[in-house]
Amino acid sequence: MISPPCPRPERMSHMKIRRLLASSLLLLLLILLVTAILTSPPRPAQAQAVGYVKTGQQAVTATAAQVTGISYGTVCIKGLKANSISVYLGGAGVTTSTGMELAPATSLTVRQ
């Protein structure tokens, strides 16, 4: 029995070959970029001059309490882990509706 001839492979046009090469090159560049990012050593943190560090606590009840003594710089506000309720941050007259919620054991950093 004679088998039918194999179908002749379709010739690729120059445009198809160029597109295939271009997409292969782009994929290779993307792989190299991702590899470079993943294998690069971490950058050390940039040290910034600090004039002073002030720490403290502000007791808060159901009534709004103003934090004083902070005039400039970066401020980190942290809710204690032992807190049973959230704290709300905002301007004068802050309420649970107008303030930004700070849940127990979470923090917020603000740079002035």
Side-chain angles (χ1 to χ4, degrees):
M1 172 179 254
I2 300 174
S3 61
C6 294
R8 188 171 184 198
E10 192 179 308
R11 275 190 89 157
M12 292 180 70
S13 70
H14 287 13
M15 291 302 290
K16 285 183 181 179
I17 293 172
R18 286 181 183 164
R19 282 189 210 130
L20 181 63
L21 287 173
S23 61
S24 298
L25 181 60
L26 285 175
L27 181 61
L28 177 63
L29 289 174
L30 181 62
I31 291 170
L32 290 173
L33 178 64
V34 170
T35 304
I37 290 171
L38 293 177
T39 58
S40 64
R43 292 180 173 178
Q46 295 292 324
Q48 294 183 353
V50 177
Y52 69 94
V53 176
K54 183 175 181 176
T55 62
Q57 288 186 325
Q58 174 69 48
V60 179
T61 62
T63 308
Q66 182 178 2
V67 177
T68 59
I70 301 171
S71 58
Y72 67 92
T74 302
V75 179
C76 178
I77 303 168
K78 182 176 181 189
L80 295 177
K81 187 188 250 185
N83 286 355
S84 57
I85 59 172
S86 295
V87 174
Y88 293 86
L89 308 171
V94 65
T95 66
T96 57
S97 300
T98 60
M100 189 172 92
E101 183 177 10
L102 184 66
T106 59
S107 63
L108 169 73
T109 303
V110 179
R111 176 171 280 168
Q112 296 180 339

